[in-house]
Amino acid sequence: MLSRLTQLTRPKALALCALPVAALLGVTAFAPLPFAVAQPGSTANVLGEYKGKQVITVKGAPTRKTDGQLRMTTIVATGPQMDVRLGDVLDAWFRGDRAVMPKDSVYPDGDDVKKVEKHNLGDMKKSQDAATDAALSYLSKNGVDTDKVEVEVDLGEIGGPSAGLFLALGVIDKLDGDGSGGDLTGGRSIAGTGTITPKGKVGPVGGVELKTQAAKRDGATVFLVPEAECSEAKGNAPKGLRLVPVTTLQGTLDALRDLKKGADVPTC
């Protein structure tokens, strides 16, 4: 084979070598790839209702009337059993409102739809419990009686742990506001994302560049982002959306109070 190639002219040799490459590209164009394509999803004001149901219901203590919005954000990805092909990937790479992710990072439990839903809802339940623990721990340390407080959360079929920070903020705002009679939001529409531990540590979530777009689309002017994801968030952030990095529940509350006062607040 080598001797025949050396006898060919350069153009003919290149054309001959290109045939298997072209065939491979042709097959790849129609073959499913191990990726998921994500885009901005819905947002939900945790101080209000989502799909006709109150997101946060507090029992066992009086709650306050809140103003402004605290919007948790989501992304939507192609389903675990949906085939993503080369054309889909190329289209997503050239669009600012799409992101290509390894499929196993989006669906680590495989492509069984029921297992994925069960896993995501399980993560949401753990997130709700951690958010409640973090919020009540903060409030009790600041003189609020939380002994009889019970918190219920209803976000429908939204799964995953990324609403944790905003659920904790919602509980605090409903019970104590900013601690001085006002709202945490200062009347603003504030969006963001982040996991939370019972001790109040904020963690990264992924997909923040798409979540900033969902936030801006739904009227937010401030976006709270886990500090570790600042560079990712600002890479494609919409104009007019202020990115505020956070690492703890206490730090987040301090930043919100400073925003109300017009004081300097760190940005990404």
Side-chain angles (χ1 to χ4, degrees), residues 226-239:
E227 188 176 59
E229 295 178 303
C230 256
S231 58
E232 182 183 351
K234 69 181 181 181
N236 198 31
K239 292 183 179 178

Side-chain angles (χ1 to χ4, degrees), residues 146-220:
T146 61
D147 288 344
K148 297 181 180 180
V149 171
E150 296 180 8
V151 178
E152 295 177 1
V153 175
D154 191 338
L155 278 168
E157 295 182 354
I158 293 178
S162 66
L165 172 61
F166 270 68
L167 293 176
L169 293 175
V171 172
I172 292 170
D173 205 14
K174 282 177 170 285
L175 284 170
D176 195 45
D178 63 0
S180 301
D183 297 289
L184 286 178
T185 63
R188 293 181 174 89
S189 178
I190 294 174
T193 190
T195 63
I196 199 164
T197 68
K199 293 185 178 181
K201 183 178 180 180
V202 176
V205 292
V208 291
E209 76 280 9
L210 298 176
K211 292 180 178 181
T212 61
Q213 296 179 45
K216 180 65 175 178
R217 178 199 66 207
D218 291 354

